[in-house]
Amino acid sequence: MRLTCSACGAHGSVEQFTADTAAREAFALALSLPGGMGGVALRYIGLFRPHKRGLTWDRSLTLLREVSALVAAGQVERHGKPYAASAALFASAMQRILDQRASLQLPLTSHGYLVAIIAGDSPREAARIETEQEQHKQQGSRARSSLPAGPSLLERQNRQRLEQQAREGDATAQALLASLDKKVDA
């Protein structure tokens, strides 16, 4: 069976793809990227393929290692300023680049465009996350404030046990119930 890599354009058999150490490492690294972004990362590095030849597995592995390091850092730096970057933001930015493939000057030579997109989207992403967190916090406080005031389930269960023991003649349980009733009345 002859295969063609959709990312880099390399042709070969299944055995060739899995026999090459760099190819195995590249696939393993792509699969280990968080959020299932391996597929989009493999297609993204295909944008680095030279016009007249395929992208070597060694170069593919190097590019994937660079992407993996950027993702693992959780941030990118552009013009000396750090920008927070989640794995989802990386995947989204790589997909946007792939969607713009027709208008790009290929092959790409660095991850600069990826970093630029992330730097541009990072403040919006941070604001979206902050808004979501604030909404969750408000919803949580509304949910807590809408709960009826009164004894918890555990308190009711304990009171039922005490009442049962008091009915069975347990003097300690009767005394505890009497003291609880006094606190409630007070």
Side-chain angles (χ1 to χ4, degrees):
M1 177 187 305
R2 190 160 168 78
L3 300 175
T4 302
C5 177
S6 62
C8 68
H11 299 282
S13 68
V14 173
E15 293 80 18
Q16 286 175 312
F17 278 97
T18 57
D20 189 307
T21 304
R24 275 196 317 272
E25 287 181 36
F27 283 122
L29 184 56
L31 291 173
S32 72
L33 289 171
M37 70 165 45
V40 73
L42 285 170
R43 290 190 308 278
Y44 165 74
I45 65 163
L47 299 175
F48 289 80
R49 179 180 54 226
H51 290 293
K52 296 187 181 195
R53 57 190 161 94
L55 190 62
T56 66
W57 285 115
D58 288 331
R59 177 71 174 136
S60 297
L61 180 57
T62 299
L63 291 167
L64 281 169
R65 283 180 178 153
E66 292 169 357
V67 168
S68 179
L70 287 170
V71 172
Q75 71 176 20
V76 296
E77 189 172 310
R78 181 159 168 83
H79 303 301
K81 186 176 177 188
Y83 296 90
S86 66
L89 187 55
F90 271 99
S92 172
M94 284 188 273
Q95 187 59 55
R96 281 181 49 196
I97 292 171
L98 289 166
D99 293 343
Q100 298 171 4
R101 180 184 196 126
S103 64
L104 295 175
Q105 184 176 347
L106 298 176
L108 295 181
T109 56
S110 74
H111 301 292
Y113 189 45
L114 177 66
V115 169
I117 289 175
I118 290 170
D121 288 352
S122 182
R124 284 188 291 272
E125 175 79 359
R128 183 189 62 78
I129 290 170
E130 184 177 341
T131 301
E132 285 178 3
Q133 289 173 342
E134 189 62 34
Q135 287 173 348
H136 288 301
K137 189 187 297 181
Q138 289 173 353
Q139 289 171 350
S141 66
R142 275 191 231 130
R144 282 191 297 275
S145 65
S146 65
L147 291 175
S152 70
L153 177 62
L154 183 60
E155 290 171 330
R156 288 191 311 264
Q157 289 173 339
N158 287 339
R159 181 167 183 96
Q160 289 171 352
R161 280 191 214 110
L162 280 174
E163 289 170 347
Q164 177 64 33
Q165 291 170 348
R167 281 192 297 271
E168 293 172 355
D170 186 340
T172 307
Q174 291 170 350
L176 283 171
L177 276 173
S179 74
L180 284 174
D181 289 338
K182 286 180 186 175
K183 286 182 183 178
V184 170
D185 292 336

